[in-house]
Each structure stands twice: as structure tokens, then as C-alpha cells.
Amino acid sequence: MDYDDDDDDDDIPEREQDEGDQQAEESDSDEDIICVVEPSAVIEKDKAQPESYETDLEIEVDSEKTFTTGQEDLYLEACKLVGVIPVSYFIRNMEETHMNLNHHGLGPNGTKAIAIALVSNTTITCLELEDNWILEEGALALMQMLHENYYIQELNVSNNHLDSPGAKIITDFLLENTSSLWSIQLAGNNFNDETAHMFCNALTSNYRIKVLDLSHNEFSEKGGEQLGHMLVLNEGLQTLNLSWNQLNLKGALSLCHSLRVNTTLKTLDISWNGFGNEGAQALGDALKVNSTLAYLDISNNHLNNEGAIKLGKGLELNETLRILKMSQNPITVEGALSLVLSVKKNTKSRLEEINISNVLVTEGFVKQLDGVFFIHPQLDVIYGEVASTVCKSVKSPVALTVIKAYVERQNTTVFEFLKSIDHFGTTKMPVAEFRKALTMQTKVPLKRIQIRELIKTLDPYGTGIVDYGVFREPSEEAPVK
């Protein structure tokens, strides 16, 4: 975006202009500054703001002190102004990109002081304020600040008692579609059906928000219908968390209908919502035509074997879903078997994980899985105990022990062995490809559970990428170019 700065410079006194130039030079020399969006926070501040946001926060931070006072001094002065004790952690970490102020008891006034200091901050890109009782007033201060600050991209204000007034403040801000925010977490804020239409209106046209967390709220069927309508028209969301609400059947039907036409959503968590078998059927129908969803969590939704069979019909045709979590549903081994056989029928399935960890299976089920894994070696099915082996205490050695025994006999190393099965030619592999490679190699026979544990070791945080470079010995270090 281009701006004509000449006209503005004529109105700035020479002293302020010199000081502003000096500050700009200091900012340019600061190596910690991360500028991920083109608009400058200071330049964008000159934009006209809606009347509803012309409050005392805007007046305070728009003063000469923004340019002449250091950020720490500005924050300390703001704390005096609103009558709160400064947070030392905030002062110490002002130059970091990630600011975690969760559980600090800020309250609305403490949040307002933070917001005043953040108006001119250009380093923080992720701001976490969970569980601070910020209330409606705190939400307003944050939205005012985001009208000026174009550097913050991720915001967590979960569990802050925002209620309907707070929802209106946030959705009014999102409706403008002007900030750099792409991720916002709003879990546990007592949002109910009367706020659902606010989110529907705001996100129907908002294309900037990519990640939205509305879990642990009070949306019921009516709210679910509204959110479903939003997904039909929204063209930005990639991750949506609606777990632990009360969407039930009508909410499920609306969301599933939206999945038939939505082309951007990749991750959907609708666990703990009471969808039932009819919801499972609608979901199965949606999966037949959806071509973008990669992660689906429908755990604890009262799905039994009938629901599993109906959902399986969608898995027979779906070509994009990679992770399916459906534990804590009253499914038996019969329902579980129908699911995995549905995947077996689909040679184009990209499923990497099916989690039915509460289901007690049989040895016959495990044998059936061998046939599924032959067609889909990248797949892992996480199930409960095997009925006939519950009392057995025999435990397989960990995969790393088996691999080390092999490489010692071959006079090689773990790193060289893993490198030999890596067709990517790097030390980092997607989990599914790593699982597939270990399954298909014949040098070291490994069981599925052994491979799973090795993956947990190499990817402890569930990033989806394993890095076996940790096994590289000093003599195997790659030459520095």
C-alpha cells in the first residue's frame, strides 16, 4: 500500500520529526524486530477509525508520549493511570515475539495497561491472555489496540468471561477485516446462541482469520445452524474448534451440509457435541464429496456401530482425510472393523491415523488390519486392548533396541539405517512417510506398536514431522558448505 507522506510531514513540528526519525533509525537497527506484514503500525495509525472505537485508550496512546517515551516507561505510566501493579514478566519480554500472560490475574484494567503499551510495539506477534478475567472492558481495550498494531497475528483470550458483550466487541472488529490477526482463541467465554449470529455475520465476509477456537462455550443446535451457514460462505478459515458445545443433531446437520461446499477448512474438531448416528450419516455423506478436510475429531458423540458403518461409507470415497479421531464413542469391534474395511476398499485413501482407542478388539480384528496395512502402509489404527491377550504381560522390545541390534551386526549405525529408507534424502520426514518406510523395509521386522513408539520419540510434540538426525554420530556430520 502506498502512502503520500509529504503532506503529513508539513504538519509535524521539526522537533517531533527529528525524534520520529531517530526512533525509526533505532527500530531499523534492532535485529529482534520481526515485520511480517507490509503496513507500518505507525503509518497505519493515521487511518480514520470508526466512531465506536474513539475512546480514552485511543486518546492516551495517540499522544506525544508514544514517540518520546520508551515502551517500558509508557507501560509503567499506563499502570499508574489505570491503578494497577505492573507485570514484571511483560516488561522483561517486550522484545520477544511470543508474549505469554496466561493466568496473570490482569483484570480489565491490567489488560488496558498492556494494550496501551502494545500500540507501538513491533516485536510481539503472538499474545496469550487466557484466564485473566479481562471482561468486556478488557476486550474493548484489546480491539482498540489492534486498530493501531499491525504486528500481532495470534491472540488467545480464552476463559475470560467475555459473555455476549465481549462477543459483540470482537465480532464487530472482525467484521472490518482490517487487522493482521489470523488466529484467535475464544474458548470458554460463555458464548451462546445469541452470539452465534454475530460470528456468522463477521466471519461470512472475513477472509483473514485462518484459525478459530470456539470450544467449551454454550452453542446449542440453533448456534450450530448459524455457524454452519457461516462455513458455507467463509473463504478463510482453515482450522475450526467447536468441541465441548451442545450442537446436537440440527447443529451437526448444518455443519455437515457446509462441508459439502466449503473449500478451505482443513481441520475440524467437533468432539463432545452429541451428534448421534444421524449426524454420523450426514458426516459420511459430506466426506464423499469434501476435498479439503484433512483432520476430523468426532470423539464422544454418541456414535455406535450403526454410526460407524454410515461414516465408513464416506471413507470409501474420501481422498483427503488424514486423521480421524473417534474415541470415547460406544463402538464395538464390529463397528471398528467396518471402518477399517471401508478404508481398505478405497485405494486412494490418504488416512494416516484412525483413533478408536477405547474399543476392545479381537485377534481376528488385528489380522484383518494386516490386509489393510498392506494396501495402506502409511496408516496407523490406534485401538484398545486385544480381548484374548488382556492378561498377557509379554511386551515387545522398543523399536530402537531392535534397530540397534541389527546395525551392530551390520557394523553400521542407526542413522545410516534410517537414511537408507529415506527417499526424501533429508533427516526430516512426514510421520506417515516414516511409518510407511519402516513398514515396507524388510531388514528389521517391527510391529506396528513399536513403530508408533519410535515416532513418539522422534516427534514428541506431534508436529507431524520426525527428525532422525538426532541419531547422527559426530563422524556422520554433514559437511558444512
Side-chain angles (χ1 to χ4, degrees):
M1 186 177 296
D2 296 329
Y3 292 88
D4 184 359
D5 294 331
D6 294 338
D7 295 338
D8 294 336
D9 289 346
D10 293 340
D11 298 331
I12 299 176
E14 184 176 351
R15 180 179 57 81
E16 287 188 17
Q17 202 165 3
D18 291 341
E19 292 169 345
D21 292 340
Q22 182 180 356
Q23 186 186 27
E25 292 174 1
E26 293 173 353
S27 297
D28 290 340
S29 65
D30 188 348
E31 295 180 356
D32 291 334
I33 291 180
I34 297 179
C35 183
V36 294
V37 289
E38 293 182 1
S40 166
V42 175
I43 293 176
E44 289 289 347
K45 190 175 68 170
D46 293 334
K47 292 175 61 177
Q49 304 296 336
E51 292 184 2
S52 60
Y53 286 93
E54 292 179 357
T55 66
D56 56 344
L57 176 63
E58 183 178 4
I59 294 171
E60 290 158 8
V61 299
D62 220 10
S63 68
E64 185 179 341
K65 291 186 177 62
T66 303
F67 298 92
T68 61
T69 308
Q71 286 193 15
E72 179 178 343
D73 292 336
L74 179 61
Y75 174 58
L76 294 175
E77 188 169 335
C79 288
K80 289 180 181 178
L81 182 66
V82 299
V84 296
I85 298 174
V87 178
S88 59
Y89 178 88
F90 179 66
I91 296 173
R92 292 195 308 269
N93 294 277
M94 281 182 171
E95 300 303 316
E96 301 294 329
T97 59
H98 186 176
M99 177 62 69
N100 187 337
L101 292 172
N102 295 339
H103 321 296
H104 270 70
L106 297 176
N109 286 338
T111 304
K112 186 173 182 179
I114 296 288
I116 291 174
L118 288 179
V119 167
S120 57
N121 183 283
T122 60
T123 58
I124 296 171
T125 60
C126 177
L127 177 61
E128 296 197 58
L129 295 169
E130 182 175 349
D131 182 30
N132 275 290
W133 282 80
I134 73 174
L135 306 179
E136 173 188 355
E137 296 88 344
L140 179 59
L142 290 173
M143 296 307 106
Q144 293 166 0
M145 176 269 294
L146 289 173
H147 270 92
E148 306 286 339
N149 183 310
Y150 277 75
Y151 293 89
I152 293 177
Q153 301 171 39
E154 301 173 71
L155 177 65
N156 179 5
V157 286
S158 297
N159 300 302
N160 272 298
H161 303 270
L162 300 184
D163 304 314
S164 295
K168 186 175 190 315
I169 290 169
I170 291 173
T171 53
D172 283 349
F173 174 76
L174 295 178
L175 190 61
E176 296 173 24
N177 211 24
T178 56
S179 80
S180 297
L181 273 186
W182 60 263
S183 173
I184 184 165
Q185 297 180 52
L186 298 165
N189 274 303
N190 307 317
F191 297 155
N192 53 29
D193 288 346
E194 73 177 62
T195 67
H197 76 277
M198 302 178 191
F199 286 100
C200 181
N201 292 338
L203 294 166
T204 292
S205 59
N206 184 293
Y207 57 87
R208 295 179 183 270
I209 298 297
K210 307 299 181 187
V211 178
L212 175 64
D213 184 356
L214 289 172
S215 62
H216 292 266
N217 279 295
E218 300 171 7
F219 297 116
S220 63
E221 289 186 319
K222 184 178 179 181
E225 290 180 293
Q226 289 283 330
L227 295 171
H229 296 329
M230 175 270 293
L231 278 181
V232 171
L233 299 175
N234 178 273
E235 296 181 353
L237 274 178
Q238 296 180 9
T239 298
L240 177 61
N241 189 345
L242 291 173
S243 62
W244 290 87
N245 281 284
Q246 303 166 31
L247 304 182
N248 299 321
L249 179 57
K250 290 183 180 179
L253 295 177
S254 179
L255 286 171
C256 293
H257 172 72
S258 72
L259 293 179
R260 299 171 67 93
V261 295
N262 182 281
T263 58
T264 60
L265 197 66
K266 297 179 180 180
T267 300
L268 178 62
D269 188 345
I270 44 178
S271 57
W272 297 83
N273 269 293
F275 277 22
N277 292 331
E278 292 184 60
Q281 179 170 354
L283 195 53
D285 292 340
L287 290 177
K288 292 178 183 178
V289 296
N290 182 278
S291 60
T292 54
L293 198 64
Y295 178 105
L296 177 63
D297 191 342
I298 52 172
S299 303
N300 207 309
N301 265 297
H302 306 305
L303 311 182
N304 57 27
N305 290 345
E306 179 187 349
I309 294 171
K310 292 177 177 178
L311 182 65
K313 297 298 182 182
L315 298 180
E316 292 180 12
L317 298 175
N318 185 275
E319 298 179 16
T320 59
L321 193 65
R322 297 190 178 193
I323 307 293
L324 175 61
K325 294 184 178 293
M326 50 186 306
S327 63
Q328 306 306 316
N329 284 297
I331 297 172
T332 67
V333 65
E334 289 78 17
L337 185 60
S338 70
L339 276 175
V340 297
L341 291 181
S342 295
V343 179
K344 184 179 181 180
K345 294 176 184 177
N346 183 357
T347 58
K348 295 183 179 180
S349 173
R350 299 183 69 186
L351 269 169
E352 301 172 5
E353 178 185 317
I354 299 177
N355 190 323
I356 46 174
S357 56
N358 65 300
V359 179
L360 184 68
V361 300
T362 62
E363 288 185 346
F365 173 84
V366 176
K367 290 180 180 179
Q368 289 277 10
L369 279 183
D370 291 337
V372 179
F373 294 152
F374 180 80
I375 298 174
H376 300 291
Q378 82 285 352
L379 177 64
D380 189 21
V381 178
I382 303 172
Y383 49 82
E385 298 285 355
V386 180
S388 60
T389 61
V390 171
C391 297
K392 294 182 180 180
S393 58
V394 178
K395 189 174 182 180
S396 301
V398 296
L400 196 54
T401 301
V402 179
I403 295 173
K404 283 181 177 179
Y406 167 80
V407 298
E408 286 176 2
R409 292 194 303 268
Q410 299 297 317
N411 195 27
T412 183
T413 64
V414 173
F415 174 77
E416 286 297 332
F417 166 72
L418 295 177
K419 184 179 178 181
S420 69
I421 65 174
D422 178 11
H423 66 275
F424 287 90
T426 67
T427 65
K428 296 181 179 181
M429 297 177 67
V431 164
E433 292 296 331
F434 187 72
R435 182 185 296 116
K436 180 179 179 180
L438 284 176
T439 300
M440 298 185 71
Q441 60 83 30
T442 57
K443 298 176 181 178
V444 182
L446 294 172
K447 296 180 180 180
R448 216 70 183 177
I449 190 170
Q450 293 172 312
I451 296 175
R452 186 185 305 154
E453 291 303 318
L454 179 58
I455 289 173
K456 286 183 179 179
T457 300
L458 296 176
D459 182 24
Y461 300 107
T463 63
I465 300 292
V466 298
D467 185 359
Y468 62 84
V470 296
F471 297 122
R472 181 189 279 136
E473 297 182 359
S475 60
E476 298 171 313
E477 289 291 344
V480 179
K481 295 183 179 180

